[in-house]
């Protein structure tokens, strides 16, 4: 399935993550998955939240740069080689994975959030699994 | 030693007389040969006959770097193009460089001035000089080179970029003098110290210029290298290095008044300021043939001292530079305008994001940092896209300005927002 992700630009300094998360808390946003990527100078906070538009508005009002984009989310079965199989199928179709991170919840189990260079094609492939 | 005692030690009356005569001749030439000057003078109701003494110079219009840019490349030539034997250039605020054209005589005058400066430092024909300025369109390399050859010294044309080779040759060839930027010389000093080679050099003199430096830097390099260091001033528009230089008494930079007439003006009212007071330095080239400049506004803020120096010279002395009347920065010897950075950002980002330039000097090398606020329109959820943005901006700045900047992406609203003419720059070097 397709999920919406909120990405937030952060500087790589103490307190910046705290500030960003506090803003989301004030806006009553619930976070179900999160990935924090860093370089020496800046970081990218990527989030799956219950209301991305509202979260983006809150971040914007607080002066942060953020964006919403669509990603592939794949539910994972708890069996050996399941993830490997998915990635193999994507790679043999020439699809490149930019980044990915895991998400899990008590109701729906584990899933993988995947950014590829071709969302539509990737979706077609995983829906056939 | 004094290379040209006749010209460097004239009485003030003799200097004024010579300057008046040369100004009259120069104005007649540009009036007849350069449409740009003729038009300006005609608009002001001036004819060459109105300029007889050096004091008449206040009647004349000013020339600016915008004039040079607008008349690129040959608009200000006062001789047929065939008489030009060399061009040099310095980067302009945007786009086209400023092109300066020299006749053979202009090259001779330039060499003579640099020779005078080197002689003033104590360098003689017996010395071996390494020129560590860039050779090319930049005036430093060839300017110092011709001056040293004219002096009769042996020149090693090192240019820039290879410190190891410079040090090797400095030791092997028993180099006694060096011409380079002050920050580069300190870099060389550091390398010599680190490699334990200080006792193997024979260096005695350094002629440093092309960027502002302080007395502390001078003392530091004199102590660390056990040399005497001298400050040489010049600008490409006027000639290049050698417009002025200081002597061992360190009472300011002696300007060669038989070729360059200095004035200090108020940059707002454009009126001459009394001797000794701070203002913008304007220079008129009295003998230049190829591209004479009349009352050229250097934008450098300083004052002038007259009165005979202990060295015997009677030439006016340019005092410590106190900054600029425009927003130009000199970084690693290169002229940088914030508008160039803006132009580079525009080419990469489409519009200009809020930015801030910080210049500092760390370990005697200028740092050039440009922070850009990441706005939504060039934000990406992928690190590689953001890194690409950063490196694209770095490449564009390097291409426009000619030196490398370190670009940093920052959160929005974290940099000072410009209101009206608020500057996007902080210079932490405290050089003036």
């Amino acid at each position: 399935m397709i999920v919406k992700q909120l990405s937030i630009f952060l500087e790589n300094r103490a307190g910046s993550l705290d500030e960003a998360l506090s803003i989301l808390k004030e806006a009553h946003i619930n976070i179900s998955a999160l990935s924090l990527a860093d370089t020496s100078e800046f970081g990218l906070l990527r989030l799956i939240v219950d209301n991305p538009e509202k979260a983006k508005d809150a971040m914007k009002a607080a002066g942060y740069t953020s964006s919403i984009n669509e990603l592939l989310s794949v539910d994972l079965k708890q069996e050996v080689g399941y993830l490997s199989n998915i990635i193999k199928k994507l790679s043999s179709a020439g699809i490149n994975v930019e980044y990915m991170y895991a998400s899990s919840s008590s109701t729906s189990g584990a899933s993988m959030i995947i950014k590829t260079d071709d969302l539509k094609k990737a979706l077609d492939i995983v829906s056939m699994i | 030693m004094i290379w040209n005692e006749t010209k460097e030690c004239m009485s003030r009356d003799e200097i004024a007389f010579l300057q008046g005569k040369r100004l009259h001749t120069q104005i007649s030439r540009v009036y007849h040969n350069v449409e740009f000057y003729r038009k300006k003078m005609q608009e002001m109701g001036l004819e060459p006959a109105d300029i007889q003494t050096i004091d008449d110079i206040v009647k004349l219009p000013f020339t600016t770097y915008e004039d040079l840019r607008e008349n690129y490349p040959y608009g200000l030539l006062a001789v047929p193009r065939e008489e030009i034997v060399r061009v040099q250039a310095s980067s302009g605020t945007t786009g086209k460089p400023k092109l300066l054209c020299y006749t053979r005589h202009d090259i001779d005058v330039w060499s003579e001035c640099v020779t005078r400066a080197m002689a003033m430092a104590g360098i003689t024909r017996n010395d071996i000089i390494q020129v560590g300025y860039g050779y090319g369109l930049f005036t430093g390399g060839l300017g110092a080179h011709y001056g040293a050859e004219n002096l009769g010294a042996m020149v090693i044309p090192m240019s820039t970029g290879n410190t190891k080779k410079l040090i090797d040759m400095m030791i092997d060839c028993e180099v006694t003098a060096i011409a380079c930027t002050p920050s580069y010389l300190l870099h060389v000093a550091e390398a010599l110290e680190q490699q334990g080679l200080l006792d193997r050099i024979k260096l005695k003199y350094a002629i440093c210029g092309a960027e502002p430096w302080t007395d502390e830097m001078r003392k530091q390099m004199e102590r660390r290298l056990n040399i005497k260091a001298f400050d040489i001033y010049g600008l490409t528009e006027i000639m290049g290095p050698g417009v002025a230089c200081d002597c061992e008494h360190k009472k300011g930079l002696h300007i060669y008044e038989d070729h360059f007439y200095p004035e200090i003006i108020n940059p707002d009212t454009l009126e001459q300021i009394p001797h000794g007071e701070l203002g913008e330095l304007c220079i008129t080239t009295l003998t230049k043939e190829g591209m004479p400049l009349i009352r050229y506004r250097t934008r450098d803020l300083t004052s002038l001292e007259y009165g005979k120096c202990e060295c015997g010279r009677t030439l006016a002395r340019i005092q410590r530079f106190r900054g600029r009347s425009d927003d130009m920065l000199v970084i690693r010897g290169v002229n940088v305008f914030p508008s160039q950075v803006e132009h580079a950002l525009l080419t990469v980002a489409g519009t200009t994001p809020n930015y801030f330039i910080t210049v500092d000097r760390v370990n005697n090398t200028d740092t050039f940092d440009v922070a850009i606020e990441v706005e939504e329109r060039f934000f990406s959820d992928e690190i590689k896209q953001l890194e690409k943005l950063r490196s694209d901006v770095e490449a564009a700045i390097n291409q426009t300005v000619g030196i490398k900047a370190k670009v940093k992406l920052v959160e929005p609203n974290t940099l000072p927002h410009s209101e009206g003419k608020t500057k996007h720059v902080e210079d932490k070097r405290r050089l003036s």
Side-chain angles (χ1 to χ4, degrees), chain A:
Chain A
M1 62 187 252
I2 287 175
V3 288
K4 281 186 174 175
Q5 170 190 260
L6 176 72
S7 309
I8 303 168
F9 180 83
L10 295 177
E11 282 171 34
N12 198 346
R13 60 174 161 81
S16 65
L17 181 62
D18 178 26
E19 282 164 31
L21 292 179
S22 299
I23 293 159
L24 294 175
K25 179 182 139 193
E26 292 301 313
H28 300 286
I29 301 294
N30 186 47
I31 302 167
S32 59
L34 174 156
S35 144
L36 184 59
D38 73 295
T39 70
S40 60
E41 279 166 0
F42 62 86
L44 263 183
L45 179 61
R46 302 181 184 118
L47 304 159
I48 305 298
V49 297
D50 54 357
N51 190 339
E53 280 78 16
K54 188 179 167 197
K56 185 174 188 302
D57 290 344
M59 293 312 296
K60 190 171 184 164
Y64 283 82
T65 294
S66 61
S67 67
I68 294 174
N69 57 328
E70 295 185 327
L71 265 59
L72 183 66
S73 173
V74 186
D75 290 337
L76 298 178
K77 285 184 187 160
Q78 289 301 321
E79 47 187 69
V80 173
Y82 191 82
L83 179 62
S84 168
N85 186 35
I86 293 168
I87 301 300
K88 199 180 288 297
K89 283 205 159 61
L90 291 176
S91 75
S92 38
I95 294 169
N96 183 37
V97 173
E98 302 290 351
Y99 58 82
M100 59 186 226
Y101 53 100
S103 164
S104 77
S105 76
S106 51
T107 50
S108 61
S111 56
M112 194 55 79
I113 315 288
I114 305 173
K115 169 74 186 257
T116 64
D117 56 359
D118 191 337
L119 176 61
K120 209 178 157 298
K121 201 166 158 192
L123 186 65
D124 289 347
I125 288 167
V126 298
S127 52
M128 287 188 297
I129 293 170

Side-chain angles (χ1 to χ4, degrees), chain B residues 93-234:
Chain B
T93 46
T94 44
K96 298 281 190 203
K98 287 173 283 190
L99 190 76
L100 288 307
C101 303
Y102 303 71
T103 64
R104 187 165 301 282
H105 181 255
D106 292 337
I107 298 287
D108 290 344
V109 169
W110 185 10
S111 307
E112 151 94 14
C113 289
V114 175
T115 305
R116 287 185 197 178
M118 288 178 169
M120 183 150 39
I123 301 171
T124 70
R125 65 184 302 278
N126 298 325
D127 281 294
I128 299 171
I129 304 181
Q130 256 177 332
V131 175
Y133 288 117
Y135 281 67
L137 289 174
F138 174 60
T139 50
L142 287 166
H145 184 108
Y146 273 57
E149 273 192 5
N150 187 48
L151 178 67
M154 182 178 120
V155 189
I156 306 178
M158 291 307 307
S159 197
T160 54
N162 194 337
T163 307
K164 190 191 173 299
K165 197 167 189 177
L166 181 133
I167 287 174
D168 286 349
M169 291 191 81
M170 185 181 274
I171 293 168
D172 298 342
C173 302
E174 305 190 331
V175 167
T176 53
I178 186 165
C180 62
T181 64
S183 51
Y184 184 64
L185 187 58
L186 282 166
H187 172 72
V188 170
E190 209 159 276
L192 284 165
E193 280 162 10
Q194 276 171 7
Q195 295 162 42
L197 296 172
L198 270 179
D199 56 347
R200 295 187 54 198
I201 60 166
K202 299 264 194 307
L203 201 64
K204 288 190 288 185
Y205 311 101
I207 301 244
C208 297
E211 64 185 16
W213 51 311
T214 58
D215 277 344
E216 287 66 41
M217 282 176 78
R218 180 212 296 278
K219 283 175 191 153
Q220 204 190 118
M221 67 172 71
E222 288 188 338
R223 181 173 45 79
R224 288 167 76 177
L225 292 168
N226 192 26
I227 56 165
K228 285 180 180 172
F230 297 84
D231 190 0
I232 190 166
Y233 172 75

